[in-house]
Amino acid sequence: MEQLSKGRASLVGVVSVAGALAAGHLVAGVLDANASPILAVGKTAIDLTPGPVKDWAVATFYTYDKLALFTGMALVLVGIGVAAGLLSRRSPLPGTIIAAAIGVLGIVAVMVRPDVGQLAVLAPVASLLVGVGLFRFLHRRAYEIEDDEDRRRFMKVSAGVVLGIGVAGGGGQLLANRVDVEGSRTAVGDLKAATPAPPIPKNADFAPSTPRFITSNRDFYRIDTALSVPKMRAEDWVLKIHGAVDKELTLSYEDIRSRPLIERTVTLTCVSNEVGGDLISTSTFIGVPLRDILADAGVKPGADQLFSTSVDGFTCGTPVADIMDRGMLAIGMNGEPLPVEHGFPARMVVPGLYGYVSATKWVVDMKFNKFSDEQAYWVPRGWAQKGPIKTESRIDSPKGFDTVTGKVTVAGTAWAQTKGIAKVEVRADGGEWIEAQLADEVNLDTWRMWKAELDLKPGDHTVECRATDRSGYTQTDTRADPAPDGASGWHSMQFSVR
Ligand SMILES: Nc1nc2c(c(=O)[nH]1)N[C@H]1C(S)=C(S)[C@@H](COP(=O)(O)O)O[C@H]1N2
Ligand SMILES: [Mo]
């Protein structure tokens, strides 16, 4: 045969790419789930994504940006497979070189990750060997086709290989999931605080015009760079506290759980939240004040940053003053152990600071140093080193472009964590500001719901809101994008009255 048909050449390329990934995924499943070349390539892609693209992805897909990432990766990989095949219609050499080059990239991608052990490099090595071997094997089979008999045999062999890929990939996935983190959560059981949070008053929200005051664990917003949720059992968790301290500490889950637990109702907010966005939720967290734990370590006076690291290598820099004032090591949310996506076994919570500078999930390492010594994950990516939450408010109803009849109740949410909300005002069509009625205040670290009745004539209207916090500051109308230190501006909503 002179050269392979385009279809057969593409098939050889795509099947080889799939085989390489499946082999790596299987080996990673045995050794270390985080070493899977699929995850390593994806995580490296996330880490290298320029800030604005990442913001756009978060804004567009919210937490589904991972699905988009995987879909994009799949399309790119199929494209590479097709290209490798088409370039190799006469000789297997171009495809072999491409397969080897991608394999080497995979090895590098795994080696530069801080969160995988040294053996993990065997996963992309398996990918490289299987990718190159499979490509050459299938290419030869395809090249040797001379009659219908050969053709049938080639299709059979290809089908067998695809089946093998499915088994290897699925097996790798099963092995990766064998860490029984849900079993560990169940074994922890319900968490009871020695010092419970005061009960939430019935008039703390205006649901269904506003969200419920407490967000259920299932509905709590989720933002993280983790492609696959880190799976760590409580019994395997250790927290290391070191750096500028008098005494290094290594704490187990039991060490934390056996302390007198406290409960605090806190509203968490993401710095990526747009004006009017929903990357904000409220929960009653259970845990231990960090101040108490750190008393045993003795933080040296020169340290101004708590540099924390999660089991998957995310890092976060928090001012020591805020940690000592109100930082918490949380192990539970709303009476349950933390859900796995929200940081089981343990995370940090510091009211008043955006999540990226305060709320490390799956936290395993706390180091004390100076802000000038070391930058945490988002800082070199264009976000501010300090991230206090801005006083903001949001209209929750009516929804945009709703048609309402009769008197209009405008309702929403306002927040100014650590300061508290003193007043919310609403105005229609640029007219007079009207003071809204506030729901019961729960504490200064949580959001506060509001509502106002407006008498509006039939037709189209635009309503705006603005909050004033207890320090006397009224939220600015100056619009700012989320980057570098949080969005600002008045939220507005357009709707019609009939
Ligand atoms: N390990 C880890 N912790 C993390 C992050 C992350 O990417 N990895 N993201 C932070 C950000 S940006 C926010 S807003 C909060 C969100 O916490 P949640 O997902 O529980 O709502 O987690 C913080 N903690
Ligand atoms: Mo965030």
Side-chain angles (χ1 to χ4, degrees), residues 220-225 270 310 314 342 347 355 359 361-362:
F220 204 96
Y221 83 92
R222 175 182 167 201
I223 291 287
D224 51 63
T225 59
C270 182
S310 70
F314 168 83
H342 295 291
R347 74 174 306 166
K361 305 191 273 189
W362 316 290

Side-chain angles (χ1 to χ4, degrees), residues 149-345:
E149 179 75 11
D150 295 341
R151 196 163 297 130
R152 239 173 280 133
R153 201 174 308 134
F154 173 72
M155 290 318 286
K156 260 195 206 150
V157 168
S158 303
V161 168
V162 169
L163 195 71
I165 290 171
V167 171
Q173 195 59 28
L174 277 180
L175 287 168
N177 287 336
R178 73 185 181 277
V179 178
D180 187 12
V181 66
E182 277 307 334
S184 173
R185 270 190 88 230
T186 313
V188 169
D190 288 350
L191 292 172
K192 285 240 175 326
T195 321
I200 307 296
K202 244 180 65 203
N203 299 323
D205 65 44
F206 296 122
S209 303
T210 65
R212 296 310 308 256
F213 188 85
I214 294 286
T215 316
S216 68
N217 288 358
R218 158 197 285 273
D219 291 337
F220 204 96
Y221 83 92
R222 175 182 167 201
I223 291 287
D224 51 63
T225 59
L227 261 187
S228 65
V229 179
K231 293 195 188 69
M232 168 165 271
R233 303 186 310 164
E235 48 275 45
D236 299 330
W237 179 83
V238 222
L239 174 64
K240 194 175 164 210
I241 300 176
H242 61 119
V245 292
D246 297 330
K247 195 176 122 210
E248 288 194 1
L249 297 180
T250 306
L251 300 168
S252 70
Y253 193 80
E254 216 23 64
D255 290 337
I256 303 299
R257 215 202 148 166
S258 58
R259 284 172 174 261
L261 299 179
I262 57 148
E263 240 181 8
R264 267 187 211 149
T265 306
V266 179
T267 299
L268 235 62
T269 311
C270 182
V271 69
S272 295
N273 197 36
E274 308 267 353
V275 172
D278 58 5
L279 300 180
I280 175 166
S281 301
T282 300
S283 185
T284 297
F285 292 94
I286 305 177
V288 181
L290 275 167
R291 172 198 315 129
D292 294 358
I293 299 175
L294 294 170
D296 300 340
V299 179
K300 296 208 164 117
D304 62 1
Q305 169 171 252
L306 165 50
F307 191 89
S308 55
T309 308
S310 70
V311 69
D312 66 335
F314 168 83
T315 57
C316 175
T318 315
V320 169
D322 295 308
I323 291 290
M324 292 302 185
D325 181 47
R326 58 191 185 281
M328 181 177 184
L329 182 70
I331 59 171
M333 269 169 92
N334 298 329
E336 285 176 25
L338 290 174
V340 181
E341 313 81 67
H342 295 291
F344 183 80

Side-chain angles (χ1 to χ4, degrees), residues 401-420:
F401 307 107
D402 271 1
T403 298
V404 284
T405 46
K407 279 214 163 156
V408 186
T409 301
V410 180
T413 315
W415 57 94
Q417 289 94 322
T418 71
K419 302 186 184 84

